[in-house]
Each structure stands twice: as structure tokens, then as C-alpha cells.
Amino acid sequence: MQTLTSTSVLERVGTALSDPTRVRILVALRDAPAYPTELAGLLGVSRQSLSNHLSCLRGCGLVISVPEGRRSRYELVDPKLGHALTDLLGIVLAVDPTHHDHP
């Protein structure tokens, strides 16, 4: 396993945060580890879609899968990520309503 620092970490976090479903997964895991079935139900997405997003988040190095018998539990790889997500959620943005580059 390789440990990344600096801009590589920010690039991977940016990739993860670029999709609304992945953002919702990370926010859910910030509160507590969860099983895929629970996450799919909570987020209202198919198991296949969730699996694809979890794969991306694992590839980015942000979540880990912890085997528990026949099931796997997902959690954030580092508690500091949970704190960073909380900080990001608290940011107040100055959005120009005439600028339409984002939905």
C-alpha cells in the first residue's frame, strides 16, 4: 500500500467529491461505518450503482472495506477525513446567481 501526500491527496479527494452520490456516501460514512445494503437504502441508489461508487472511493484511497464473515463493512480510511468533511460542510459560499456553470 502506498501513502500519498500533498497535492495527490487533494486530487483524489476532488475526484471523490466531483460526484453527488459519492459525496453522500462519504457524508454517511462520516457518521458511522455501514454495510452496502444499508447505504443503498439510505441513499436510494441501486446496489450496482453503489458498488461502482464504493469502488471509486476505494480506488481514491478514501474508504476501506472491512470483511465481517460473508459481509463487508465500509468506513472512512482516516478519521481526519471525517473532520475535513465536517469542515467542508460548514463552508459558506458566495454564489453569483447569474453564473450558470453548475446545476
Side-chain angles (χ1 to χ4, degrees), residues 21 24-25 36-47 49-50:
T21 300
R24 293 172 57 214
I25 292 168
T37 303
E38 295 169 351
L39 286 171
L42 176 70
L43 303 177
V45 299
S46 71
R47 290 282 313 270
S49 175
L50 182 75

Side-chain angles (χ1 to χ4, degrees), residues 21-103:
T21 300
R22 289 194 297 268
V23 169
R24 293 172 57 214
I25 292 168
L26 290 171
V27 169
L29 294 177
R30 171 191 67 146
D31 297 330
Y35 298 96
T37 303
E38 295 169 351
L39 286 171
L42 176 70
L43 303 177
V45 299
S46 71
R47 290 282 313 270
Q48 181 60 46
S49 175
L50 182 75
S51 177
N52 292 339
H53 288 294
L54 287 171
S55 177
C56 176
L57 292 171
R58 280 193 319 271
C60 287
L62 302 182
V63 302
I64 56 172
S65 171
V66 179
E68 289 185 343
R70 302 176 92 190
R71 299 171 58 181
S72 291
R73 182 186 76 235
Y74 283 83
E75 59 188 54
L76 299 178
V77 71
D78 186 332
K80 288 183 274 189
L81 178 57
H83 297 297
L85 290 167
T86 298
D87 289 345
L88 286 171
L89 288 168
I91 293 174
V92 176
L93 301 177
V95 178
D96 180 352
T98 63
H99 190 74
H100 297 289
D101 69 344
H102 195 276

Side-chain angles (χ1 to χ4, degrees), residues 1-19:
M1 182 182 297
Q2 178 183 4
T3 302
L4 300 175
T5 58
S6 191
T7 58
S8 294
V9 170
L10 291 179
E11 290 168 6
R12 287 169 180 261
V13 170
T15 296
L17 296 180
S18 69
D19 181 88

